[in-house]
Amino acid sequence: MDDEYEPLSLQDAFGDLKDPRVRTPEHDLTEMLVVALAAILSGADGWVGIALWGQGQLEWLRRYLPLRNGIASHDTFGRVFAALDARQFEACFVRWVSGICPAVAGLVVAIDGKTVRRSHGMGRSAIHLVSAYCGALGATLAQVRTAAQSNEITAIPVLLDALLLKGAIVTIDAMGCQREIAAKIVAGGADYVLRSKAISLPCMKQSCSCSMHSAHSLCAACASLSTVRQAGKCTEESRRAGALRPT
């Protein structure tokens, strides 16, 4: 296995995560993280379930953790996790997952945005998340919430920065069909499939210098609504110059 993908322990991956509690805590944060993760992987779906699972598996857990004060209550789990810095926790979690699940080379990673159902109301706008999903692994690799008064175009680069995508094939719909996003994917060692709106075809024709083009037509790869980054069809220069950028 490459050094880049050496698995990290939870302690190493979450070492930078700041404990929000001011007073000396009764339950160590790393221990709470391990218990919560193991419980969720075992089927727990809430704080009550996590606490109950931990209490039932206390003897087994103490093979790996001191747990001098036992398992935290479900209220303590809820309060501590609610107080954690969400972005810092996400960065630590992605770092850990990238170490134990590195096999994205040659796989398709789909990036798409969805609005969370029933997340609006009481003066709040709906929550919109941009996710990276790998179907072959059956896992969502990372999620980023779009900022207020913003959209997926600004959230996708943040999501890409959090992922190790070397060798993967990244797919994004027309919203993410931007030169800057394509350049970031290439810089990360991945390939891309970006969907382009039909209205962008005149722009593509003007900016693309593919040797297969005539004066009045585009090659089949560039004329399709989905433009695929593929060696020998369009030059890297033409793709970065705007062949994939919608108007």
Side-chain angles (χ1 to χ4, degrees), residues 24-118:
T24 302
E26 182 178 354
H27 300 280
D28 179 73
L29 180 60
T30 300
E31 291 182 351
M32 293 182 67
L33 288 169
V34 173
V35 172
L37 178 64
I40 291 171
L41 291 175
S42 299
D45 58 359
W47 303 126
V48 173
I50 289 173
L52 289 174
W53 182 90
Q55 292 164 10
Q57 301 295 327
L58 183 57
E59 183 178 348
W60 175 79
L61 288 167
R62 278 181 168 157
R63 298 180 187 176
Y64 311 99
L65 302 169
L67 292 170
R68 295 184 180 88
N69 295 314
I71 302 298
S73 68
H74 68 275
D75 287 331
T76 300
F77 272 108
R79 286 194 301 267
V80 171
F81 274 80
L84 293 174
D85 184 295
R87 290 194 179 276
Q88 190 180 26
F89 180 88
E90 179 186 39
C92 293
F93 185 78
V94 170
R95 184 190 313 161
W96 178 67
V97 171
S98 297
I100 64 174
C101 187
V104 296
L107 302 181
V108 175
V109 176
I111 294 179
D112 195 15
K114 298 293 182 183
T115 300
V116 179
R117 184 180 181 186
R118 297 178 181 174

Coordinates of all heavy atoms in Angstrom, one line a residue, residues 24-118:
T24 N -12.4 20.0 32.9 CA -11.8 18.6 32.7 C -12.9 17.6 32.5 O -13.7 17.4 33.4 CB -10.9 18.2 33.9 OG1 -9.9 19.2 34.1 CG2 -10.3 16.8 33.6
P25 N -13.0 17.0 31.4 CA -14.1 16.1 31.1 C -14.0 14.8 31.8 O -12.9 14.3 32.1 CB -14.1 15.9 29.6 CG -12.6 16.1 29.2 CD -12.1 17.1 30.2
E26 N -15.2 14.2 32.1 CA -15.2 12.9 32.7 C -15.0 11.8 31.7 O -14.4 10.8 32.1 CB -16.6 12.7 33.4 CG -16.8 11.4 34.1 CD -18.2 11.2 34.8 OE1 -18.9 12.2 34.7 OE2 -18.5 10.2 35.3
H27 N -15.4 12.1 30.5 CA -15.2 11.1 29.4 C -14.3 11.6 28.3 O -14.5 12.7 27.8 CB -16.5 10.7 28.8 CG -17.5 10.1 29.8 ND1 -17.4 8.8 30.2 CD2 -18.5 10.6 30.5 CE1 -18.3 8.5 31.1 NE2 -19.0 9.6 31.3
D28 N -13.2 10.9 28.0 CA -12.3 11.3 27.0 C -12.9 11.4 25.6 O -13.7 10.6 25.2 CB -11.1 10.4 26.9 CG -10.1 10.7 25.9 OD1 -9.3 11.7 26.1 OD2 -10.0 10.1 24.9
L29 N -12.6 12.5 24.9 CA -13.2 12.7 23.6 C -12.9 11.6 22.6 O -13.8 11.1 21.9 CB -12.8 14.1 23.0 CG -13.3 14.4 21.6 CD1 -14.9 14.5 21.6 CD2 -12.8 15.8 21.1
T30 N -11.6 11.1 22.6 CA -11.3 10.1 21.6 C -12.1 8.8 22.0 O -12.5 8.1 21.1 CB -9.8 9.8 21.7 OG1 -9.0 11.0 21.3 CG2 -9.4 8.6 20.8
E31 N -12.2 8.5 23.2 CA -13.0 7.3 23.6 C -14.4 7.4 23.2 O -15.0 6.5 22.7 CB -12.9 7.1 25.1 CG -11.6 6.7 25.7 CD -11.5 6.5 27.2 OE1 -12.6 6.8 27.8 OE2 -10.5 6.0 27.7
M32 N -15.0 8.6 23.3 CA -16.4 8.8 22.9 C -16.5 8.7 21.3 O -17.5 8.1 20.8 CB -16.9 10.2 23.3 CG -17.0 10.4 24.8 SD -17.6 12.0 25.3 CE -19.3 12.0 24.6
L33 N -15.5 9.1 20.6 CA -15.5 9.0 19.2 C -15.5 7.5 18.8 O -16.2 7.1 17.9 CB -14.3 9.7 18.5 CG -14.4 11.3 18.5 CD1 -13.0 11.8 18.2 CD2 -15.4 11.8 17.6
V34 N -14.6 6.8 19.4 CA -14.5 5.3 19.1 C -15.8 4.6 19.4 O -16.3 3.8 18.6 CB -13.3 4.7 19.9 CG1 -13.3 3.2 19.7 CG2 -12.0 5.3 19.4
V35 N -16.4 4.9 20.6 CA -17.6 4.2 20.9 C -18.7 4.6 20.0 O -19.5 3.7 19.5 CB -18.0 4.6 22.4 CG1 -19.4 4.0 22.7 CG2 -17.0 4.0 23.4
A36 N -18.8 5.8 19.6 CA -19.9 6.3 18.7 C -19.7 5.6 17.4 O -20.7 5.2 16.8 CB -19.9 7.8 18.6
L37 N -18.5 5.6 16.9 CA -18.3 5.1 15.5 C -18.6 3.6 15.5 O -19.3 3.1 14.6 CB -16.9 5.3 15.1 CG -16.5 4.7 13.7 CD1 -17.3 5.4 12.6 CD2 -15.0 4.9 13.5
A38 N -18.1 2.8 16.5 CA -18.3 1.4 16.6 C -19.8 1.1 16.7 O -20.3 0.1 16.1 CB -17.5 0.8 17.7
A39 N -20.5 1.9 17.5 CA -21.9 1.7 17.7 C -22.7 1.9 16.4 O -23.6 1.1 16.0 CB -22.5 2.6 18.8
I40 N -22.4 3.0 15.7 CA -23.1 3.3 14.4 C -22.8 2.2 13.4 O -23.7 1.8 12.7 CB -22.6 4.7 13.9 CG1 -23.1 5.8 14.8 CG2 -23.1 4.9 12.5 CD1 -22.6 7.1 14.5
L41 N -21.6 1.7 13.3 CA -21.2 0.6 12.4 C -22.0 -0.7 12.7 O -22.2 -1.5 11.9 CB -19.7 0.4 12.4 CG -18.9 1.5 11.7 CD1 -17.4 1.2 11.9 CD2 -19.2 1.7 10.3
S42 N -22.4 -0.8 14.0 CA -23.1 -2.0 14.5 C -24.6 -1.8 14.4 O -25.3 -2.7 14.8 CB -22.7 -2.3 15.9 OG -21.3 -2.5 16.0
G43 N -25.1 -0.6 13.9 CA -26.5 -0.4 13.7 C -27.2 0.6 14.5 O -28.4 0.8 14.4
A44 N -26.5 1.2 15.5 CA -27.1 2.2 16.3 C -27.5 3.4 15.5 O -26.7 3.8 14.6 CB -26.2 2.6 17.4
D45 N -28.6 4.0 15.7 CA -29.1 5.1 14.9 C -29.4 6.4 15.7 O -30.2 7.2 15.2 CB -30.3 4.7 14.0 CG -31.4 4.2 14.9 OD1 -31.3 4.2 16.1 OD2 -32.5 3.9 14.3
G46 N -28.9 6.5 16.9 CA -29.1 7.7 17.7 C -28.3 7.6 19.0 O -27.6 6.7 19.2
W47 N -28.3 8.7 19.7 CA -27.5 8.8 20.9 C -27.9 7.8 22.0 O -27.1 7.2 22.6 CB -27.6 10.2 21.5 CG -27.2 11.3 20.6 CD1 -27.9 12.4 20.2 CD2 -26.0 11.4 19.9 NE1 -27.2 13.2 19.3 CE2 -26.0 12.6 19.1 CE3 -24.8 10.6 19.8 CZ2 -25.0 13.0 18.2 CZ3 -23.8 11.0 18.9 CH2 -23.9 12.2 18.2
V48 N -29.2 7.5 22.1 CA -29.7 6.5 23.0 C -29.1 5.1 22.6 O -28.6 4.4 23.4 CB -31.2 6.5 23.1 CG1 -31.7 5.3 23.9 CG2 -31.8 7.8 23.7
G49 N -29.2 4.8 21.3 CA -28.7 3.6 20.8 C -27.2 3.4 21.0 O -26.7 2.3 21.3
I50 N -26.5 4.5 20.8 CA -25.0 4.5 21.0 C -24.7 4.2 22.4 O -23.8 3.4 22.7 CB -24.4 5.8 20.5 CG1 -24.5 6.0 19.0 CG2 -22.9 5.9 21.0 CD1 -24.0 7.3 18.5
A51 N -25.3 4.9 23.4 CA -25.1 4.7 24.8 C -25.4 3.2 25.2 O -24.7 2.6 25.9 CB -25.8 5.7 25.6
L52 N -26.6 2.7 24.8 CA -27.0 1.4 25.1 C -26.0 0.3 24.5 O -25.6 -0.6 25.2 CB -28.4 1.1 24.6 CG -29.5 1.8 25.3 CD1 -30.8 1.6 24.6 CD2 -29.6 1.4 26.8
W53 N -25.6 0.6 23.3 CA -24.6 -0.4 22.7 C -23.3 -0.4 23.5 O -22.7 -1.4 23.7 CB -24.4 0.0 21.2 CG -23.4 -0.9 20.5 CD1 -23.8 -2.1 19.8 CD2 -22.0 -0.9 20.5 NE1 -22.6 -2.7 19.4 CE2 -21.5 -2.0 19.7 CE3 -21.1 0.0 21.0 CZ2 -20.2 -2.2 19.5 CZ3 -19.7 -0.2 20.8 CH2 -19.3 -1.3 20.0
G54 N -22.8 0.8 23.8 CA -21.6 0.9 24.6 C -21.7 0.2 25.9 O -20.7 -0.5 26.4
Q55 N -22.8 0.4 26.6 CA -23.0 -0.3 27.9 C -23.0 -1.8 27.8 O -22.4 -2.5 28.6 CB -24.3 0.2 28.6 CG -24.2 1.7 29.0 CD -25.6 2.3 29.3 OE1 -26.6 1.5 29.3 NE2 -25.6 3.6 29.4
G56 N -23.6 -2.3 26.7 CA -23.7 -3.7 26.5 C -22.3 -4.3 26.0 O -22.1 -5.5 26.2
Q57 N -21.5 -3.5 25.4 CA -20.2 -4.0 24.9 C -19.0 -3.5 25.7 O -17.9 -3.4 25.3 CB -20.0 -3.6 23.5 CG -21.1 -4.1 22.5 CD -21.1 -5.6 22.4 OE1 -20.0 -6.2 22.4 NE2 -22.2 -6.2 22.2
L58 N -19.3 -3.0 27.0 CA -18.2 -2.4 27.8 C -17.0 -3.3 28.0 O -15.9 -2.8 27.9 CB -18.8 -1.9 29.1 CG -17.9 -1.2 30.1 CD1 -17.3 0.0 29.4 CD2 -18.6 -0.8 31.3
E59 N -17.2 -4.5 28.3 CA -16.1 -5.5 28.5 C -15.3 -5.6 27.3 O -14.0 -5.6 27.4 CB -16.7 -6.8 29.0 CG -15.6 -7.8 29.3 CD -16.1 -9.1 29.8 OE1 -17.4 -9.2 30.1 OE2 -15.4 -10.1 29.9
W60 N -15.9 -5.7 26.1 CA -15.1 -5.9 24.9 C -14.4 -4.6 24.6 O -13.2 -4.6 24.2 CB -16.1 -6.2 23.7 CG -15.4 -6.2 22.4 CD1 -14.6 -7.2 21.9 CD2 -15.4 -5.2 21.4 NE1 -14.2 -6.9 20.6 CE2 -14.7 -5.7 20.3 CE3 -16.0 -4.0 21.3 CZ2 -14.5 -4.9 19.2 CZ3 -15.8 -3.2 20.2 CH2 -15.1 -3.7 19.1
L61 N -15.0 -3.4 24.8 CA -14.4 -2.1 24.5 C -13.2 -1.9 25.3 O -12.2 -1.2 24.9 CB -15.4 -1.0 24.7 CG -16.5 -0.9 23.6 CD1 -17.7 0.1 24.1 CD2 -16.0 -0.4 22.3
R62 N -13.2 -2.4 26.6 CA -12.1 -2.1 27.5 C -10.8 -2.9 27.1 O -9.8 -2.8 27.7 CB -12.5 -2.5 28.9 CG -13.3 -1.3 29.6 CD -13.7 -1.6 31.0 NE -14.2 -0.3 31.6 CZ -15.0 -0.3 32.7 NH1 -15.4 -1.4 33.2 NH2 -15.3 0.9 33.2
R63 N -10.9 -3.8 26.1 CA -9.7 -4.4 25.6 C -8.9 -3.4 24.8 O -7.7 -3.6 24.6 CB -10.1 -5.6 24.6 CG -10.9 -6.7 25.2 CD -11.2 -7.7 24.2 NE -12.1 -8.8 24.6 CZ -12.6 -9.8 23.9 NH1 -12.2 -9.8 22.6 NH2 -13.4 -10.7 24.4
Y64 N -9.5 -2.4 24.3 CA -8.9 -1.4 23.5 C -8.8 0.0 24.1 O -8.0 0.8 23.7 CB -9.6 -1.3 22.1 CG -9.8 -2.7 21.5 CD1 -11.1 -3.3 21.6 CD2 -8.8 -3.4 20.8 CE1 -11.3 -4.6 21.1 CE2 -9.0 -4.6 20.3 CZ -10.2 -5.2 20.4 OH -10.5 -6.5 19.9
L65 N -9.8 0.3 25.0 CA -9.8 1.7 25.6 C -9.9 1.6 27.1 O -10.5 0.6 27.6 CB -11.1 2.4 25.1 CG -11.3 2.5 23.6 CD1 -12.7 3.0 23.3 CD2 -10.3 3.5 23.0
P66 N -9.3 2.5 27.8 CA -9.4 2.5 29.3 C -10.8 2.6 29.8 O -11.2 1.8 30.6 CB -8.6 3.7 29.7 CG -7.7 4.0 28.6 CD -8.5 3.6 27.3
L67 N -11.6 3.6 29.3 CA -13.0 3.8 29.7 C -13.1 3.7 31.3 O -14.0 3.0 31.8 CB -13.9 2.7 29.0 CG -14.1 2.9 27.5 CD1 -14.8 1.7 26.9 CD2 -14.8 4.2 27.2
R68 N -12.3 4.4 31.9 CA -12.3 4.4 33.4 C -13.6 4.8 34.0 O -13.9 4.3 35.1 CB -11.1 5.3 33.9 CG -9.7 4.8 33.5 CD -8.6 5.7 34.1 NE -7.3 5.2 33.7 CZ -6.7 5.6 32.6 NH1 -7.3 6.5 31.8 NH2 -5.5 5.1 32.3
N69 N -14.3 5.7 33.4 CA -15.6 6.2 33.9 C -16.8 5.6 33.1 O -17.9 6.1 33.2 CB -15.6 7.7 33.8 CG -14.6 8.4 34.7 OD1 -14.4 8.0 35.9 ND2 -13.9 9.3 34.1
G70 N -16.5 4.5 32.5 CA -17.6 3.8 31.8 C -18.0 4.5 30.5 O -17.2 5.2 29.9
I71 N -19.3 4.3 30.1 CA -19.8 4.8 28.9 C -20.6 6.1 29.2 O -21.3 6.1 30.2 CB -20.8 3.8 28.2 CG1 -20.0 2.5 27.9 CG2 -21.4 4.4 26.9 CD1 -18.8 2.7 26.9
A72 N -20.4 7.1 28.4 CA -21.1 8.4 28.7 C -22.6 8.2 28.4 O -23.0 7.3 27.7 CB -20.6 9.5 27.7
S73 N -23.4 9.0 29.1 CA -24.9 9.0 28.9 C -25.2 9.5 27.5 O -24.4 10.1 26.8 CB -25.6 9.8 29.9 OG -25.3 11.2 29.7
H74 N -26.4 9.1 27.0 CA -26.8 9.6 25.7 C -26.9 11.1 25.7 O -26.6 11.7 24.6 CB -28.2 9.0 25.3 CG -29.3 9.5 26.1 ND1 -29.7 8.9 27.4 CD2 -30.2 10.5 25.9 CE1 -30.7 9.5 27.8 NE2 -31.1 10.5 27.0
D75 N -27.3 11.8 26.8 CA -27.3 13.2 26.8 C -25.9 13.8 26.6 O -25.7 14.8 25.9 CB -27.9 13.7 28.1 CG -29.4 13.5 28.2 OD1 -30.0 13.5 27.1 OD2 -29.9 13.4 29.3
T76 N -24.9 13.2 27.3 CA -23.5 13.6 27.1 C -23.0 13.5 25.7 O -22.4 14.4 25.1 CB -22.6 12.9 28.1 OG1 -23.0 13.1 29.4 CG2 -21.1 13.3 27.9
F77 N -23.3 12.3 25.1 CA -23.0 12.1 23.7 C -23.6 13.2 22.8 O -22.9 13.9 22.0 CB -23.4 10.8 23.2 CG -22.5 9.7 23.4 CD1 -22.7 8.7 24.4 CD2 -21.3 9.6 22.6 CE1 -21.8 7.6 24.6 CE2 -20.4 8.5 22.8 CZ -20.7 7.6 23.8
G78 N -24.8 13.5 23.0 CA -25.5 14.5 22.2 C -24.9 15.9 22.4 O -24.7 16.6 21.4
R79 N -24.7 16.3 23.6 CA -24.2 17.7 23.9 C -22.8 17.8 23.3 O -22.5 18.9 22.7 CB -24.1 17.9 25.4 CG -25.5 18.2 26.0 CD -25.4 18.8 27.4 NE -24.6 17.9 28.3 CZ -25.2 17.0 29.1 NH1 -26.5 16.9 29.1 NH2 -24.5 16.2 29.9
V80 N -21.9 16.8 23.5 CA -20.5 16.9 23.1 C -20.4 17.0 21.5 O -19.8 17.9 21.0 CB -19.7 15.8 23.6 CG1 -18.3 15.8 23.0 CG2 -19.5 15.9 25.1
F81 N -21.1 16.1 20.9 CA -21.1 16.1 19.4 C -21.7 17.3 18.8 O -21.3 17.8 17.8 CB -21.8 14.8 18.8 CG -20.8 13.7 18.8 CD1 -20.6 12.9 19.9 CD2 -20.2 13.3 17.6 CE1 -19.7 11.8 19.9 CE2 -19.3 12.2 17.6 CZ -19.1 11.5 18.7
A82 N -22.8 17.9 19.5 CA -23.4 19.1 19.0 C -22.5 20.3 19.1 O -22.6 21.3 18.3 CB -24.7 19.4 19.7
A83 N -21.6 20.3 20.1 CA -20.7 21.4 20.3 C -19.4 21.3 19.5 O -18.6 22.3 19.4 CB -20.3 21.5 21.8
L84 N -19.1 20.2 18.8 CA -17.9 20.1 18.0 C -18.0 21.0 16.8 O -19.1 21.3 16.3 CB -17.8 18.6 17.5 CG -17.4 17.6 18.6 CD1 -17.4 16.2 17.9 CD2 -16.1 17.9 19.2
D85 N -16.9 21.5 16.3 CA -16.8 22.3 15.1 C -17.1 21.3 13.9 O -16.3 20.4 13.6 CB -15.4 22.9 15.0 CG -15.3 23.8 13.8 OD1 -15.4 23.3 12.6 OD2 -15.1 25.0 13.9
A86 N -18.2 21.6 13.2 CA -18.6 20.7 12.2 C -17.6 20.5 11.0 O -17.3 19.4 10.6 CB -20.0 21.1 11.6
R87 N -17.0 21.6 10.6 CA -16.1 21.6 9.5 C -14.8 20.9 9.9 O -14.2 20.1 9.1 CB -15.8 23.0 9.0 CG -16.9 23.6 8.3 CD -16.5 24.9 7.5 NE -17.6 25.5 6.8 CZ -18.0 25.1 5.6 NH1 -17.4 24.1 5.0 NH2 -19.0 25.7 5.0
Q88 N -14.3 21.1 11.1 CA -13.1 20.5 11.6 C -13.4 19.0 11.8 O -12.5 18.1 11.4 CB -12.7 21.1 12.9 CG -11.3 20.6 13.4 CD -10.9 21.2 14.7 OE1 -11.7 21.6 15.5 NE2 -9.6 21.3 14.9
F89 N -14.5 18.6 12.3 CA -14.9 17.2 12.4 C -14.9 16.5 11.0 O -14.4 15.4 10.8 CB -16.2 17.0 13.1 CG -16.6 15.6 13.3 CD1 -16.3 14.9 14.4 CD2 -17.4 15.0 12.3 CE1 -16.6 13.5 14.6 CE2 -17.8 13.6 12.5 CZ -17.4 12.9 13.6
E90 N -15.5 17.2 10.0 CA -15.6 16.6 8.7 C -14.2 16.4 8.1 O -14.0 15.3 7.5 CB -16.4 17.6 7.8 CG -16.6 17.0 6.4 CD -17.2 18.0 5.5 OE1 -17.0 19.2 5.6 OE2 -18.0 17.6 4.6
A91 N -13.3 17.4 8.3 CA -12.0 17.2 7.7 C -11.3 16.1 8.4 O -10.6 15.3 7.7 CB -11.2 18.5 8.0
C92 N -11.4 15.9 9.7 CA -10.8 14.8 10.4 C -11.4 13.4 9.9 O -10.7 12.5 9.7 CB -11.0 14.9 11.9 SG -10.1 16.3 12.6
F93 N -12.7 13.4 9.7 CA -13.4 12.2 9.3 C -13.0 11.8 7.9 O -12.7 10.6 7.7 CB -14.9 12.4 9.4 CG -15.7 11.1 9.1 CD1 -15.8 10.1 10.1 CD2 -16.2 10.9 7.9 CE1 -16.5 8.9 9.8 CE2 -16.9 9.7 7.6 CZ -17.1 8.8 8.6
V94 N -12.9 12.7 7.0 CA -12.5 12.4 5.6 C -11.1 11.9 5.6 O -10.7 11.0 4.9 CB -12.7 13.7 4.8 CG1 -12.0 13.5 3.4 CG2 -14.2 14.0 4.6
R95 N -10.2 12.5 6.5 CA -8.8 12.1 6.5 C -8.7 10.6 7.0 O -8.0 9.8 6.4 CB -8.1 13.0 7.5 CG -6.6 12.7 7.6 CD -5.9 13.4 8.8 NE -6.4 14.8 8.8 CZ -6.3 15.6 9.9 NH1 -5.8 15.1 11.0 NH2 -6.7 16.8 9.8
W96 N -9.6 10.3 7.9 CA -9.6 8.9 8.4 C -10.1 7.9 7.4 O -9.5 6.9 7.1 CB -10.4 8.8 9.7 CG -10.5 7.4 10.3 CD1 -9.5 6.7 10.8 CD2 -11.7 6.6 10.4 NE1 -10.0 5.5 11.2 CE2 -11.3 5.4 11.0 CE3 -13.0 6.8 10.0 CZ2 -12.2 4.4 11.2 CZ3 -13.9 5.8 10.2 CH2 -13.5 4.6 10.8
V97 N -11.2 8.3 6.8 CA -11.9 7.4 5.8 C -10.9 7.2 4.6 O -10.8 6.1 4.0 CB -13.2 8.0 5.3 CG1 -13.8 7.2 4.1 CG2 -14.2 7.9 6.5
S98 N -10.2 8.3 4.2 CA -9.3 8.2 3.0 C -8.2 7.2 3.3 O -7.7 6.6 2.4 CB -8.7 9.6 2.8 OG -9.7 10.5 2.4
G99 N -7.9 7.0 4.6 CA -6.8 6.0 4.9 C -7.3 4.6 4.9 O -6.5 3.7 4.5
I100 N -8.6 4.4 5.3 CA -9.1 3.0 5.3 C -9.8 2.6 4.1 O -10.1 1.4 3.9 CB -10.0 2.8 6.6 CG1 -11.2 3.7 6.4 CG2 -9.2 3.1 7.8 CD1 -12.2 3.4 7.5
C101 N -10.1 3.6 3.2 CA -10.9 3.3 2.0 C -10.3 4.0 0.8 O -10.9 4.9 0.3 CB -12.4 3.6 2.2 SG -13.5 3.1 0.9
P102 N -9.0 3.7 0.5 CA -8.3 4.4 -0.5 C -8.6 4.0 -2.0 O -8.1 4.6 -2.9 CB -6.9 4.2 -0.2 CG -6.9 2.7 0.3 CD -8.2 2.6 1.0
A103 N -9.3 2.9 -2.2 CA -9.4 2.3 -3.5 C -10.4 3.0 -4.4 O -11.3 2.4 -4.9 CB -9.8 0.8 -3.4
V104 N -10.1 4.3 -4.7 CA -11.0 5.0 -5.7 C -10.3 5.0 -7.1 O -11.0 5.5 -8.0 CB -11.3 6.4 -5.2 CG1 -12.1 6.4 -3.9 CG2 -10.0 7.2 -5.0
A105 N -9.1 4.6 -7.2 CA -8.4 4.6 -8.5 C -9.2 3.7 -9.5 O -9.4 2.6 -9.2 CB -7.0 4.1 -8.4
G106 N -9.6 4.3 -10.6 CA -10.3 3.6 -11.6 C -11.8 3.5 -11.4 O -12.5 3.0 -12.2
L107 N -12.2 4.0 -10.2 CA -13.7 4.0 -9.9 C -14.3 5.4 -10.2 O -13.6 6.4 -10.3 CB -13.9 3.7 -8.4 CG -13.3 2.4 -8.0 CD1 -13.6 2.2 -6.5 CD2 -13.9 1.2 -8.8
V108 N -15.6 5.4 -10.4 CA -16.4 6.6 -10.6 C -16.8 7.2 -9.3 O -17.4 6.6 -8.5 CB -17.6 6.3 -11.5 CG1 -18.4 7.6 -11.7 CG2 -17.1 5.8 -12.9
V109 N -16.5 8.5 -9.2 CA -17.0 9.3 -8.0 C -17.9 10.4 -8.5 O -17.5 11.3 -9.3 CB -15.8 9.9 -7.2 CG1 -16.3 10.8 -6.1 CG2 -14.9 8.8 -6.7
A110 N -19.2 10.3 -8.2 CA -20.2 11.2 -8.6 C -20.4 12.3 -7.6 O -20.6 12.1 -6.5 CB -21.5 10.5 -8.9
I111 N -20.2 13.6 -8.1 CA -20.5 14.7 -7.3 C -21.8 15.4 -7.7 O -22.0 15.7 -8.8 CB -19.3 15.7 -7.4 CG1 -18.0 15.1 -6.8 CG2 -19.6 17.0 -6.7 CD1 -16.8 16.0 -6.9
D112 N -22.7 15.6 -6.7 CA -24.0 16.1 -7.0 C -24.5 16.8 -5.8 O -24.1 16.5 -4.6 CB -24.9 15.0 -7.4 CG -26.2 15.5 -8.1 OD1 -26.2 16.7 -8.5 OD2 -27.2 14.8 -8.2
G113 N -25.4 17.7 -6.0 CA -26.0 18.5 -4.9 C -27.5 18.1 -4.8 O -28.2 17.9 -5.7
K114 N -27.9 18.1 -3.5 CA -29.3 17.8 -3.2 C -29.8 18.7 -2.0 O -29.0 19.0 -1.1 CB -29.5 16.3 -2.8 CG -29.2 15.3 -3.9 CD -30.1 15.4 -5.1 CE -29.7 14.3 -6.1 NZ -30.6 14.5 -7.3
T115 N -31.0 19.1 -2.1 CA -31.6 19.8 -1.0 C -32.3 18.9 0.0 O -33.0 17.9 -0.4 CB -32.7 20.8 -1.5 OG1 -32.1 21.7 -2.4 CG2 -33.3 21.6 -0.4
V116 N -32.0 19.1 1.3 CA -32.5 18.2 2.3 C -34.0 18.5 2.5 O -34.4 19.6 2.7 CB -31.7 18.5 3.7 CG1 -32.3 17.6 4.8 CG2 -30.2 18.2 3.5
R117 N -34.7 17.4 2.4 CA -36.2 17.6 2.5 C -36.6 18.1 3.9 O -36.1 17.7 4.9 CB -36.8 16.2 2.3 CG -38.3 16.2 2.2 CD -38.9 14.8 2.0 NE -40.3 14.8 1.9 CZ -41.0 13.6 1.8 NH1 -40.4 12.5 1.7 NH2 -42.3 13.7 1.7
R118 N -37.5 19.0 3.9 CA -38.1 19.6 5.1 C -37.1 20.3 6.0 O -37.3 20.3 7.2 CB -38.9 18.5 5.9 CG -40.1 18.0 5.1 CD -40.8 16.9 5.9 NE -41.9 16.3 5.2 CZ -42.6 15.2 5.6 NH1 -42.3 14.6 6.7 NH2 -43.6 14.8 4.9

